[in-house]
Amino acid sequence: MSFDSGFHLKGMAMTLNDFSKVLNYIDGERIPSLSGETLDNYEPATGQLLGTLPDSKSEDVDLAVSAAKKAQKAWGELSPEVRGYHLENLAQGIEDHIAEFALAESTDNGKPISVSKGLDIPRAAANLRFFAGAARYQSEEAFRTRLPGDDLLNVTVSRPVGIAGCISPWNLPLYLFTWKIAPALAAGCTVVGKPSEITPLTADLLARVAIHVGFPPGVLNIVHGTGPSVGSAIVGHSEIPAISFTGGTATGAAMAHQSAPLFKKSLLELGGKNPTIIFDDAPLDSAVEGAFRAAFSNQGQICLCGSRILVHKNIIDDVTESLLKKISEMVIGDPLNENTMMGALVSENHLKKVESCLQTAREEGGKILTGGERFSPEGRCADGYFLTPALINGLPHSAKTNQEEIFGPVASLIPFSNEEEAFLQERIYALEEVLFG
Ligand code: NAD
């Protein structure tokens, strides 16, 4: 098997606006699961069925692995330059169709179209370009060992490890899928990728772009389906020596448990519970703006969201008032409207999970100052999974609400009196994380 030096068929017609049928992408072709079984895919902003995706099983993963294995040698032997051209063709294919990709992302995930257009999709293309460049300019290390009577030069040689299994979550679907696959492809690995079953659309559009730009068959394979069937089959597969995963901490722990005895190389990017700390000498407007954006961007569904806001007690009343004002001015509604600031949560299950976290906050004695209510916009989004942004106070650091990831539009205010107290709480939190998980 050999590949040419890369080309780009710019301007040819390609259908990217049909969301009804997501397919697997194996050996350069879009195909259904071998069993023909499918899962339903819903639009979070309307609660309506969007279409189906393959409900793949281990046999589909096997098929993808054999395609990836067949393509691996030729791909790994290409120069980084040429692999870079292929990745840049994919990036260009995305950039040529930003509007269609953004529409698909917001429809599938519920995030505002301005975020998809301005951040998620451009960043997905940038990921491919970044790793195309990084592989081109990667230097290899040499170091010298001088012993009596001997002078040795040791050289580090980077070689592709083989097939990489890349598994990604739903909150930044194409952005994080490309963040997983791009470094593996640039390094000369072939890939069996699994996007989240909750947001499969843009990975399917990427497959259509890959076919369109002549991306080499078998190098990138995409298998859709659930974590327990497809994800677990990838993690446990004997022909996949490396796993790159982004997702929840509990899933990461289960994967580490499965892959550690197989001595796989694994990269796990997991959950977060981050503090924003505002001191009393901070410029109030920009500090509040930063805390607000950190807490509520992407409906609070980002691993690095600032979901705990630690505020010096001298200014906590002012900060609270400013945050409440900003929350009250937020435009919540149809993610496809350009002026929407907060869209829908990703699924009904996730909405219920966030609501149960708010119930926990109430039971712990927290006061919900605003929000946390279901919201029904007028028109096509009346049955969507909307929740008004919530601001809580009155809970100590140790409360479950302040310790566990909520991953929704919920922020908790925690006062502190001085730097030592703020950092001590943070150190205790970090220590508890290390000791007790
Ligand atoms: P998740 O862990 O439920 O799912 C992530 C992916 O893993 C999905 O593709 C899923 O199908 C798959 N999966 C589930 N069970 C599996 C199993 N047993 N074996 C293999 N694969 C399995 O996470 P999610 O709900 O999709 O995403 C939200 C989480 O992701 C949050 O905790 C968030 O903090 C985290 N996240 C972390 C980062 C980061 O960079 N650290 C970035 C984004 C999201």
Side-chain angles (χ1 to χ4, degrees):
M1 193 168 196
S2 68
F3 301 130
D4 65 31
S5 60
F7 55 92
H8 179 228
L9 308 175
K10 199 166 176 175
M12 274 179 58
M14 176 172 41
T15 315
L16 292 180
N17 56 5
D18 174 9
F19 302 156
S20 64
K21 198 169 183 186
V22 166
L23 293 172
N24 288 339
Y25 171 59
I26 298 178
D27 210 6
E29 285 183 44
R30 289 176 66 243
I31 55 170
S33 65
L34 290 170
S35 70
E37 286 172 27
T38 57
L39 298 166
D40 290 336
N41 186 27
Y42 289 89
E43 179 178 7
T46 61
Q48 300 298 309
L49 190 65
L50 259 181
T52 60
L53 62 145
D55 185 7
S56 308
K57 303 284 182 308
S58 61
E59 65 210 29
D60 300 285
V61 173
D62 288 342
L63 193 66
V65 168
S66 43
K69 196 173 170 187
K70 197 169 55 159
Q72 212 288 303
K73 189 165 181 295
W75 180 250
E77 284 174 356
L78 287 179
S79 70
E81 285 288 329
V82 176
R83 287 199 295 266
Y85 293 141
H86 285 291
L87 291 182
E88 279 169 1
N89 281 348
L90 276 185
Q92 188 65 49
I94 294 172
E95 284 162 355
D96 289 347
H97 299 279
I98 286 206
E100 293 101 315
F101 271 90
L103 177 64
E105 203 69 297
S106 286
T107 304
D108 208 13
N109 174 280
K111 68 176 68 204
I113 191 84
S114 58
V115 176
S116 296
K117 238 193 272 180
L119 178 80
D120 286 61
I121 304 304
R123 175 65 192 262
N127 287 342
L128 292 158
R129 289 197 189 283
F130 174 82
F131 285 106
R136 249 177 225 144
Y137 302 115
Q138 190 187 5
S139 58
E140 290 181 339
E141 244 180 297
F143 58 95
R144 212 164 154 182
T145 310
R146 274 178 261 207
L147 299 168
D150 226 344
D151 191 357
L152 307 169
L153 189 64
N154 305 277
V155 182
T156 310
V157 179
S158 304
R159 293 209 186 93
V161 71
I163 304 172
C166 298
I167 301 175
S168 57
W170 50 255
N171 64 323
L172 302 158
L174 191 65
Y175 174 149
L176 288 173
F177 188 63
T178 51
W179 188 246
K180 305 273 91 182
I181 64 169
L185 293 170
C189 296
T190 52
V191 163
V192 175
K194 192 201 99 60
S196 170
E197 63 274 32
I198 299 169
T199 51
L201 275 187
T202 44
D204 191 44
L205 298 200
L206 182 68
R208 296 185 217 187
V209 163
I211 293 168
H212 184 70
V213 302
F215 198 74
V219 171
L220 168 64
N221 304 277
I222 303 174
V223 185
H224 292 276
T226 67
S229 60
V230 177
S232 181
I234 290 174
V235 175
H237 204 290
S238 60
E239 305 266 14
I240 300 182
I243 302 293
S244 177
F245 169 79
T246 301
T249 304
T251 315
M255 287 177 45
H257 192 70
Q258 188 184 2
S259 64
L262 305 170
F263 301 104
K264 298 202 177 200
K265 291 176 189 298
S266 41
L267 172 70
L268 305 172
E269 297 185 86
L270 307 176
K273 185 75 184 173
N274 316 288
T276 300
I277 305 180
I278 308 180
F279 293 97
D280 59 354
D281 59 351
L284 195 69
D285 288 350
S286 57
V288 168
E289 175 63 28
F292 174 75
R293 283 185 55 199
F296 299 117
S297 294
N298 208 42
Q299 296 71 246
Q301 301 166 145
I302 306 184
C303 60
L304 38 73
C305 265
S307 55
R308 296 174 293 136
I309 308 177
L310 277 66
V311 188
H312 195 284
K313 67 175 178 24
N314 289 349
I315 55 165
I316 193 148
D317 290 344
D318 292 344
V319 168
T320 305
E321 194 184 314
S322 302
L323 277 172
L324 287 171
K325 181 165 181 294
K326 287 189 88 63
I327 290 171
S328 71
E329 291 165 355
M330 244 183 152
V331 181
I332 309 171
D334 190 341
L336 303 187
N337 289 344
E338 289 286 346
N339 65 344
T340 292
M341 295 162 76
M342 180 172 283
L345 270 66
V346 76
S347 68
E348 189 170 21
N349 277 346
H350 190 57
L351 172 63
K352 287 180 180 160
K353 185 220 144 182
V354 175
E355 285 179 320
S356 81
C357 294
L358 285 161
Q359 184 53 28
T360 302
R362 285 185 199 99
E363 286 163 13
E364 290 182 309
K367 183 167 178 206
I368 298 180
L369 301 173
T370 188
E373 309 283 346
R374 285 200 188 201
F375 175 69
S376 179
E378 276 179 20
R380 75 170 201 109
C381 294
D383 295 327
Y385 313 133
F386 294 87
L387 190 74
T388 54
L391 192 64
I392 304 174
N393 73 3
L395 288 173
H397 248 284
S398 55
K400 210 171 165 188
T401 304
N402 289 332
Q403 295 281 332
E404 293 182 6
E405 186 179 46
I406 297 173
F407 217 57
V410 179
S412 172
L413 288 161
I414 307 172
F416 65 87
S417 308
N418 53 51
E419 202 167 309
E420 289 69 32
E421 188 189 320
F423 287 116
L424 181 66
Q425 294 289 7
E426 282 309 302
R427 278 203 297 275
I428 291 169
Y429 174 69
L431 191 64
E432 281 171 354
E433 279 273 277
V434 171
L435 292 177
F436 309 116

